[in-house]
């Protein structure tokens, strides 16, 4: 049966699928049939008699994992149990269920998400922005740096403060048996490092490991893989260095660039036939990415005859751009396109406002991808906190979130008193508020009114616990009536959407347990904590509006890439990695199957001012404009109306010129702000 599927592969794909032993790097360009190749490879491994339990396939989204699993199992006679195919973080979660006790931790931990993490960090931050500190903590963990090492390496007061908060944060989550997103990788690595017998056991169990989207891995993921391969070299990684665009999340492009140096004897197979993009689209994308020096040499070849020309449109401002795009999309829809066939992509989120306004004016259906994720909405998070309490009423973190939701006249000061008292007694908050022993002390401390409201809250939590003991179904049937969140939002003006979101959440939970009756609430709650943007995007309708980062892994018949101007795409700044910006451009262009529209604007109103910028250098590199964008070339003399660029203020127009030579002084309009600057501090943009 597997022969049929192998014969459907091209020679390079077949070679990759049938390479079984040793380290293997599959360089899979955009639209080259990557998923088909690696799912066939997995099916081939199983067809050889390799035990599914001895395989491990790691992805970055649940959606990708599910698709690959279903495809692979459709190619062969179903084994008695499926191979483990999941995200890195799901693997970490499963691993910790078995081994976290090695670190002296309970395996009843709760997984917290980004919002939870920010709230905890905020309690320890006095002056620094909590989001900045949260990001720094993630960087520390993904680079395997402990709080002690962070403090030792700190060479400024800010870094010392961040290291201090990191230490306090770690103590807090450990004491409360919480695990954050980064811990799902860091703690398994720590266990594998500190307990060689566990590393050996795990490596012997997973003898054939495959990793999808390898270009997106960070240092921690690489080190984790090395531990899992400690007894063998059967590691197959699949990715495309030209699509490495997540350095801001810690991804390290060197992992894929130098794979052969890290894993001795590695074989490399290139997938260079593109099955997605029309010929003209691919030619332009290839021309752009060829300007990068940090890449594996490869050239995608088109397999489709589509010869639709790539259209470049130049506009006076963002309003003209938005109107034209909206009318063009309306025309496409009238000609039979489905809204879901179309996407509008941009590098910088802020430029989307004009597009949304254009869509609204034409009454076009659209979905903004990458906004607030469903499970991050406040009302959903409140419901989740109540579910956590039904499992563990001593979960102080969840309790503090909902003790005053819906409002019960239990304010911040009261909650702080409860927390301080419980801490002083070395007991969980719920034990304090539910015990008759502490009633008198509690009433004197917080007042009679708050005391009575807290008692009502105790009854709610204990009621949820009893429903949970009966069955998950009983808990879900009585959940909303017990907590009254939906009822609360319906009583408020203009909050119907929150109530509808809760309805959607309740329905989705019930549906989940109908399909997965063997799972318990705790497993479900930890699973949704590690959902990705793509995983939640199952019900998109309308035209997709999104950043290029959000579009990774997707494809559309027609794509509009907007704001292709210097400063917007590529972005400008001291930390700009122009090669990663170029990879982003490559990803954007290769999302299009049939038609690609590109647009620039002479000026754009953004961040409260009007900016003027020349067309993106990528348009020149793609052969779409003739004149180069010369940034960085100093000019001896400037004239009125010259377009210039300043390192700090960005692009502007010269309004006035005084003196000449080295002392030439310019009055420049930077998006509505006029500044006088020496000519030597700016660059001419031609």
């Amino acid at each position: 049966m597997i022969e049929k599927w192998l014969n459907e592969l091209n020679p390079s794909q077949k070679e990759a699928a049938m390479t079984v032993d040793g380290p293997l790097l599959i360089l899979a360009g955009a639209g080259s049939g990557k998923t088909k190749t690696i799912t066939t490879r997995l099916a081939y491994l199983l067809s050889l008699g390799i035990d599914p339990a001895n395989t491990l396939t790691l992805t970055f989204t649940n959606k990708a994992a599910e698709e690959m699993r279903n495809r692979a199992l459709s190619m062969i006679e179903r084994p008695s149990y499926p191979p483990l195919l999941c995200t890195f973080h799901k693997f970490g979660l499963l691993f910790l269920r078995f081994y976290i006790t090695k670190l002296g931790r309970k395996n009843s931990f709760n997984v917290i998400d980004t919002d939870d993490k920010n709230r905890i960090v905020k309690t320890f931050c006095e002056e620094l922005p909590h989001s900045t500190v949260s990001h720094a903590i993630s960087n520390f963990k993904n680079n395997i740096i402990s709080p002690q090492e962070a403090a030792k390496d700190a060479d400024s007061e800010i870094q010392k403060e961040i290291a201090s908060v990191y230490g306090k944060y770690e103590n807090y989550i450990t004491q409360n048996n919480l695990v954050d997103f980064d811990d799902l990788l860091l703690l398994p690595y720590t266990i594998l490092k500190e307990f060689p017998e566990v590393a050996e056991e795990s490596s012997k169990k997973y003898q054939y490991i495959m990793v999808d989207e390898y270009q997106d891995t960070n240092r921690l993921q690489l080190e984790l893989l090395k531990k899992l391969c400690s007894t063998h070299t059967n590691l197959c990684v699949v990715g495309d260095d030209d699509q490495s665009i997540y350095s801001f999340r810690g991804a390290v492009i060197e992992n894929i660039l130098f794979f052969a140096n890290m894993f001795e004897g590695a074989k490399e197979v290139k997938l260079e036939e593109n099955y997605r993009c029309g010929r003209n689209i691919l030619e332009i994308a290839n021309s752009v990415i060829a300007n990068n020096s940090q890449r594996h040499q490869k050239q995608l070849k088109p397999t489709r005859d589509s010869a639709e020309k790539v259209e470049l449109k130049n506009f006076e401002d963002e309003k003209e751009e938005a109107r034209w795009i909206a009318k063009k999309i309306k025309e496409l829809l009238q000609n039979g396109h489905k809204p879901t066939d179309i996407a509008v992509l941009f590098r910088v989120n802020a430029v989307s406002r004009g597009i949304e306004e254009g869509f609204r004016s034409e009454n076009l259906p659209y979905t903004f991808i990458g906004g607030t994720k469903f499970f991050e909405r406040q009302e959903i998070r409140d419901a989740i906190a109540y579910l956590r309490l039904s499992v563990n009423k001593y979960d102080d973190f969840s309790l503090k979130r909902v003790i005053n939701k819906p409002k019960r006249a239990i304010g911040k000061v009261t909650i702080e008193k409860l927390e301080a008292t419980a801490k002083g007694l070395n007991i969980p908050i719920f034990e304090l508020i539910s015990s008759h022993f502490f009633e008198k002390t509690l009433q004197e401390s917080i007042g009679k009114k708050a005391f009575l409201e807290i008692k009502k809250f105790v009854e709610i939590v204990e009621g949820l616990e009893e429903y949970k003991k009966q069955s998950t179904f009983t808990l879900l049937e009585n959940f909303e009536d017990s907590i009254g969140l939906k009822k609360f939002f319906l009583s408020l003006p203009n909050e119907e959407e929150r109530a509808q979101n809760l309805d959607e959440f309740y329905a989705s939970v019930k549906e989940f347990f109908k399909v997965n009756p063997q799972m318990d609430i705790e497993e479900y709650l930890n699973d949704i904590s590690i959902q990705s943007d793509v995983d939640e995007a199952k019900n998109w309708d309308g035209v997709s509006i999104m950043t290029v980062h959000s579009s990774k892994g997707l494809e559309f018949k027609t794509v509009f890439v907007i704001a292709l101007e210097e400063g917007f795409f590529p972005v400008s700044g001291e930390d700009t990695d122009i090669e990663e910006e170029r990879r982003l451009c490559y990803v954007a262009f290769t999302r299009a199957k049939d038609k690609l529209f590109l647009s620039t604007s002479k000026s754009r109103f953004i961040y409260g001012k009007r900016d003027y910028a020349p067309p993106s250098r990528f348009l020149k590199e793609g052969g779409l404009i003739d004149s180069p964008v010369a940034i960085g070339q100093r000019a001896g003399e400037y004239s009125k109306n010259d377009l210039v660029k300043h390192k700090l203020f960005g692009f502007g127009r010269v309004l006035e010129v005084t003196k000449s030579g080295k002392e030439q002084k310019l009055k420049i309009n930077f998006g509505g702000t006029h500044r006088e600057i020496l000519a030597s501090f700016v660059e001419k943009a031609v």
Side-chain angles (χ1 to χ4, degrees):
M1 187 176 179
I2 189 65
E3 284 77 14
K4 170 180 176 290
W5 299 102
L6 287 169
N7 290 333
E8 290 185 2
L9 304 179
N10 68 40
S12 296
Q13 291 172 333
K14 193 171 183 177
E15 182 184 2
M18 296 182 71
T19 300
V20 174
D21 298 314
L24 172 64
L25 169 62
I26 304 174
L27 285 169
S32 63
K34 174 197 69 171
T35 303
K36 184 178 182 180
T37 303
I38 57 180
T39 51
T40 306
R41 184 178 188 272
L42 177 58
Y44 180 69
L45 292 179
L46 301 182
S47 74
L48 296 175
I50 292 169
D51 192 332
N54 294 142
T55 70
L56 171 64
T57 304
L58 298 170
T59 69
F60 279 83
T61 69
N62 290 315
K63 184 181 177 184
E66 185 180 359
E67 181 186 355
M68 289 164 62
R69 184 186 303 106
N70 292 337
R71 279 203 198 184
L73 294 178
S74 71
M75 297 179 188
I76 57 170
E77 186 177 336
R78 282 187 174 261
S80 53
Y81 48 90
L84 182 54
L85 206 162
C86 60
T87 66
F88 270 97
H89 293 88
K90 180 61 182 287
F91 172 76
L93 180 62
L94 296 170
F95 184 92
L96 290 178
R97 288 284 176 230
F98 283 97
Y99 295 112
I100 198 170
T101 53
K102 292 278 187 182
L103 300 175
R105 303 267 302 265
K106 297 177 182 175
N107 62 7
S108 59
F109 58 85
N110 284 334
V111 181
I112 60 172
D113 60 22
T114 304
D115 187 68
D116 292 330
K117 178 183 176 181
N118 286 338
R119 287 174 59 225
I120 297 169
V121 168
K122 193 175 180 179
T123 63
F124 301 119
C125 282
E126 295 180 2
E127 296 180 2
L128 296 174
H130 64 273
S131 58
T132 302
V133 178
S134 290
H135 185 68
I137 291 172
S138 282
N139 281 341
F140 285 136
K141 290 191 176 187
N142 287 321
N143 285 286
I144 320 175
I145 299 170
S146 68
Q148 295 76 20
E149 290 168 325
K152 185 180 176 182
D153 295 338
D155 55 10
S156 71
E157 288 304 314
I158 290 177
Q159 289 179 357
K160 289 176 184 176
E161 178 63 21
I162 291 173
S164 173
V165 174
Y166 179 22
K168 293 172 183 175
Y169 168 80
E170 281 297 283
N171 287 336
Y172 180 91
I173 64 172
T174 303
Q175 288 168 7
N176 288 274
N177 205 25
L178 304 173
V179 170
D180 68 21
F181 200 64
D182 303 308
D183 286 333
L184 292 172
L185 300 180
L186 181 59
L187 295 181
Y189 167 75
T190 303
I191 293 166
L192 292 169
K193 182 184 177 186
E194 294 183 2
F195 300 92
E197 70 279 8
V198 176
E200 185 178 357
E201 180 187 338
S202 300
S203 184
K204 286 181 176 177
K205 177 176 175 62
Y206 302 115
Q207 294 176 25
Y208 295 90
I209 300 174
M210 194 153 50
V211 182
D212 189 22
E213 302 288 1
Y214 186 68
Q215 77 280 345
D216 296 334
T217 55
N218 57 31
R219 183 197 165 194
L220 176 55
Q221 287 162 326
L222 172 63
E223 295 303 322
L224 184 63
L225 288 169
K226 286 179 178 178
K227 292 294 180 186
L228 291 172
C229 292
S230 60
T231 65
H232 62 82
T233 60
N234 302 323
L235 173 64
C236 168
V237 301
V238 190
D240 182 9
D241 49 300
D242 289 336
Q243 297 185 74
S244 179
I245 60 173
Y246 293 120
S247 64
F248 69 98
R249 292 182 184 171
V252 180
I253 193 172
E254 286 79 8
N255 287 1
I256 191 167
L257 289 178
F258 304 117
F259 180 81
N261 301 73
M262 299 174 188
F263 297 91
E264 190 176 348
K267 180 178 178 179
E268 182 181 293
V269 179
K270 296 178 182 178
L271 308 185
E272 296 179 290
E273 291 185 52
N274 177 281
Y275 298 92
R276 176 190 300 157
C277 307
R279 183 177 301 276
N280 287 326
I281 295 170
L282 203 57
E283 283 178 1
I284 291 167
N286 280 336
S287 294
V288 171
I289 201 63
N291 289 273
N292 272 2
S293 58
Q294 286 188 303
R295 63 188 295 262
H296 289 282
Q297 290 304 310
K298 52 189 175 299
Q299 181 82 6
L300 284 186
K301 307 174 186 73
T303 60
R304 297 179 59 212
D305 292 330
S306 173
E308 287 259 20
K309 287 186 178 180
V310 174
E311 289 190 40
L312 172 62
K313 307 295 290 188
N314 301 290
F315 301 101
E316 288 297 320
D317 57 31
E318 75 284 353
K319 290 184 178 178
E320 186 183 359
E321 178 185 57
R323 283 195 299 269
W324 185 88
I325 290 172
K327 287 179 179 177
K328 188 66 183 179
I329 290 175
K330 198 168 187 177
E331 181 186 310
L332 290 168
L333 296 176
Q334 289 169 347
N335 290 334
H337 269 61
K338 293 186 288 187
T340 51
D341 290 337
I342 305 168
V344 180
L345 310 182
F346 38 82
R347 171 67 177 92
V348 181
N349 241 322
V351 305
S352 67
R353 181 183 57 84
I355 293 294
E356 288 194 78
E357 289 176 358
F359 274 40
R360 285 195 290 268
S361 68
E362 293 289 340
N363 201 27
L364 290 173
Y366 72 91
T367 302
F368 193 101
I369 311 301
T372 303
K373 292 193 287 182
F374 183 75
F375 289 109
E376 288 181 359
R377 293 177 174 132
Q378 295 303 307
E379 63 275 16
I380 306 302
R381 298 175 63 78
D382 293 341
I384 288 171
Y386 272 112
L387 282 175
R388 290 198 184 281
L389 288 173
S390 75
V391 176
N392 177 16
K393 60 191 177 186
Y394 300 121
D395 178 357
D396 282 359
F397 188 74
S398 296
L399 183 146
K400 286 189 293 180
R401 181 179 184 94
V402 294
I403 195 169
N404 196 39
K405 292 182 180 179
K407 292 189 180 299
R408 300 187 178 90
I410 304 170
K412 184 181 177 183
V413 174
T414 300
I415 296 170
E416 287 173 351
K417 285 181 180 178
L418 293 176
E419 189 174 19
T421 304
K423 191 174 182 180
L425 295 167
N426 198 28
I427 59 174
I429 294 174
F430 192 86
E431 187 174 335
L432 171 69
I433 63 178
S434 62
S435 172
H436 295 296
F437 184 78
F438 301 110
E439 281 188 357
K440 187 178 178 182
T441 305
L442 197 60
Q443 192 166 339
E444 288 174 354
S445 173
I446 63 175
K448 188 175 180 180
K449 185 179 180 182
F451 174 78
L452 293 173
E453 290 295 326
I454 282 173
K455 285 300 176 184
K456 291 178 186 176
F457 174 74
V458 168
E459 289 175 11
I460 291 169
V461 174
E462 289 179 338
L464 293 175
E465 186 182 41
E466 285 303 312
Y467 288 134
K468 167 69 172 61
K469 286 178 181 176
Q470 294 176 49
S471 71
T472 299
F473 180 77
T474 305
L475 170 66
L476 298 177
E477 283 298 298
N478 293 278
F479 187 72
E480 169 56 32
D481 288 342
S482 298
I483 67 173
L485 269 181
K486 178 187 169 185
K487 183 181 177 182
F488 170 69
F489 286 119
L490 286 173
S491 70
L492 301 176
N494 304 316
E495 293 291 2
E496 293 88 351
E497 187 178 348
R498 292 186 185 273
Q500 290 168 0
N501 288 338
L502 284 166
D503 272 339
E504 185 180 342
F505 174 66
Y506 297 152
S508 71
V509 179
K510 289 176 182 177
E511 181 62 26
F512 177 86
F513 283 104
K514 281 181 185 176
V515 178
N516 303 280
Q518 75 285 358
M519 290 187 71
D520 59 29
I521 284 286
E522 192 175 11
E523 288 178 287
Y524 170 77
L525 292 170
N526 284 332
D527 266 1
I528 63 176
S529 293
I530 57 176
Q531 292 275 349
S532 72
D533 293 342
V534 175
D535 293 329
E536 290 191 11
K538 295 175 181 175
N539 300 309
W540 291 352
D541 54 11
V543 177
S544 296
I545 300 177
M546 67 182 90
T547 65
V548 180
H549 283 104
S550 297
S551 75
K552 176 77 164 43
L554 304 174
E555 60 181 32
F556 304 88
K557 285 185 177 179
T558 300
V559 171
F560 295 79
V561 184
I562 69 169
L564 278 158
E565 302 121 31
E566 291 290 314
F568 296 108
F569 201 170
V571 297
S572 58
E574 289 186 15
D575 298 328
T576 298
D577 180 346
I578 195 62
E579 295 219 345
E580 179 149 334
E581 292 294 307
R582 194 171 281 114
R583 292 194 292 270
L584 269 168
C585 181
Y586 176 80
V587 167
F589 290 2
T590 55
R591 297 313 92 196
K593 296 165 69 176
D594 300 326
K595 191 68 180 174
L596 178 62
F597 294 95
L598 310 176
S599 65
T600 70
S601 179
K602 290 181 182 177
S603 76
R604 196 172 294 278
F605 190 82
I606 192 168
Y607 306 129
K609 63 180 185 178
R610 184 155 295 281
D611 266 333
Y612 298 84
S616 170
R617 69 192 73 186
F618 301 147
L619 297 175
K620 165 64 179 174
E621 293 172 1
L624 292 157
I625 58 177
D626 294 328
S627 58
V629 180
I631 304 295
Q633 297 176 5
R634 302 223 181 260
E637 297 289 333
Y638 291 85
S639 304
K640 189 177 178 180
N641 292 322
D642 279 349
L643 184 64
V644 297
K645 186 189 179 193
H646 187 274
K647 192 174 183 180
L648 184 61
F649 306 125
F651 291 94
R653 289 279 180 191
V654 177
L655 301 175
E656 189 179 323
V657 181
T658 57
K659 298 187 179 181
S660 62
K662 292 181 179 179
E663 295 184 0
Q664 189 177 52
K665 202 170 185 180
L666 310 176
K667 187 176 182 180
I668 304 171
N669 178 7
F670 292 103
T673 302
H674 296 180
R675 300 182 183 274
E676 290 190 356
I677 295 174
L678 284 172
S680 57
F681 286 97
V682 297
E683 302 166 343
K684 187 177 282 189
V686 182

